[in-house]
């Protein structure tokens, strides 16, 4: 039986971020910016040449910690005009873990983009009640949609999922304009039977291994070896005498 699936397409309001122009590049400028409470960044896109800017790390971290996190659409003033961007990448100091650099990519509300959306399961599967184990293959799903339709999360109701049953991409009930970039038959969640006890398999294999030696002797291969051993003993004693 297939399970019902839903997506949450609630989109938060567009965030605002203050940025300032950065005319000088290099490590020296980056250190100077950090002393003033800012970090170097760059904004770019199809219609926006790579533009060096500076941002307040606290404001960026607040966006990353928000409901939509990295998928938040941000309004900024760059290259003399107002533009919409999203955080493409960012880096931390390896020791202090302070935010060090941010990359922003320009987006258009009428153009689709690709983002990763968290996948959550709800309910307790029938197969789990019967002793099975719930396996979630994907924790996030690659999604394609317009920036104003980015889902907050995708939820999968696994309540009706039986033992050895699964939910695939084609069973997702997504909001209009949202698609998952995975094959239709791709398994996302399944309920599998518990694995067999490996110790039982090892114990079952042990008697066969032990019985291999007698079998070899019965085949006439081990006996000559024993005969040679007995013949070697008197020779050894004779040498001592």
């Amino acid at each position: 039986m297939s399970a019902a699936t839903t997506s949450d397409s609630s989109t938060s309001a567009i965030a605002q971020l203050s940025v300032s122009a950065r005319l000088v590049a290099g490590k020296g400028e980056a250190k100077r910016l950090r002393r003033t409470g800012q970090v170097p960044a760059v904004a770019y896109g199809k219609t926006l040449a790579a533009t060096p800017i500076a941002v307040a790390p606290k404001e960026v971290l607040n966006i990353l910690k928000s409901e939509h996190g990295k998928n938040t659409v941000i309004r900024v003033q760059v290259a003399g005009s107002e533009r919409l961007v999203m955080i493409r990448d960012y880096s931390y100091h390896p020791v202090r873990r302070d935010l060090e650099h941010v990359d922003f990519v320009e987006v258009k509300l009428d153009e689709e983009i690709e983002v990763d959306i968290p996948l959550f399961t709800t309910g307790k599967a029938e197969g789990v009640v019967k002793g099975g184990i719930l396996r979630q293959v994907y924790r996030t799903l690659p999604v394609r949609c317009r920036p104003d339709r980015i889902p907050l999360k995708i939820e999968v109701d696994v309540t009706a999922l039986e033992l050895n049953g699964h939910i695939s991409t084609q069973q997702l009930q997504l909001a209009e304009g949202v698609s998952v970039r995975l094959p239709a038959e791709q398994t996302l969640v399944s309920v599998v039977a518990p694995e067999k006890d490996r110790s039982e398999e090892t114990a079952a294999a042990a008697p066969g291994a032990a019985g291999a030696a007698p079998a070899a002797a019965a085949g006439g291969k081990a006996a000559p070896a024993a005969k040679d051993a007995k013949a070697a003993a008197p020779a050894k004693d004779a040498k001592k005498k």
Side-chain angles (χ1 to χ4, degrees), residues 11-16 68 72-74:
T11 304
S12 59
I14 296 175
Q16 299 282 346
H68 278 267
T72 302
V73 179
I74 309 165

Side-chain angles (χ1 to χ4, degrees), residues 29-236:
E29 173 64 7
K31 289 181 180 179
R32 186 194 70 79
L33 282 174
R34 294 184 185 107
R35 285 197 299 268
T36 63
Q38 292 188 309
V39 294
V42 63
Y44 55 89
K46 291 180 180 179
T47 62
L48 175 64
T51 305
I53 56 176
V55 295
K58 185 176 180 180
E59 291 184 32
V60 175
L61 290 173
N62 285 339
I63 291 174
L64 290 172
K65 293 175 183 177
S66 67
E67 211 173 26
H68 278 267
K70 193 177 174 182
N71 292 334
T72 302
V73 179
I74 309 165
R75 181 177 285 110
V76 296
Q77 192 78 21
V78 178
S81 63
E82 188 176 82
R83 299 174 185 265
L84 295 179
V85 299
M86 292 177 64
I87 297 174
R88 170 59 61 86
D89 199 9
Y90 54 94
S91 60
Y92 292 104
H93 187 279
V95 178
R96 298 192 304 271
R97 305 306 297 167
D98 295 332
L99 189 67
E100 286 213 315
H101 192 274
V102 189
D103 284 1
F104 297 95
V105 63
E106 184 183 22
V107 297
K108 305 283 188 180
L109 291 183
D110 59 349
E111 295 180 4
E112 291 187 332
I113 58 172
E114 296 179 353
V115 292
D116 291 329
I117 304 299
L119 174 65
F120 295 97
T121 63
T122 61
K124 187 169 184 177
E126 286 290 337
V128 172
V129 175
K130 296 175 181 177
I133 298 172
L134 186 71
R135 291 276 176 84
Q136 185 171 340
V137 181
Y138 288 85
R139 297 293 173 182
T140 61
L141 295 178
V143 165
R144 186 176 181 83
C145 63
R146 291 185 345 203
D148 60 345
R149 295 188 177 183
I150 298 176
L152 178 61
K153 59 186 175 181
I154 295 177
E155 291 187 335
V156 180
D157 183 1
V158 300
T159 306
L161 200 57
E162 297 285 352
L163 192 62
N164 297 321
H166 71 277
I167 297 172
S168 59
T169 306
Q170 61 191 347
Q171 293 171 265
L172 294 175
Q173 297 173 2
L174 301 170
E176 183 181 356
V178 178
S179 61
V180 173
R181 297 180 295 109
L182 288 173
E185 299 78 17
Q186 178 64 55
T187 295
L188 307 178
V189 182
S190 63
V191 175
V192 299
E195 294 182 357
K196 291 183 179 180
D197 191 342
R198 296 295 181 185
S199 62
E200 291 181 2
E201 295 180 6
T202 303
K221 294 181 180 180
K227 183 178 180 181
D228 293 342
K230 291 180 180 178
K236 186 176 181 181

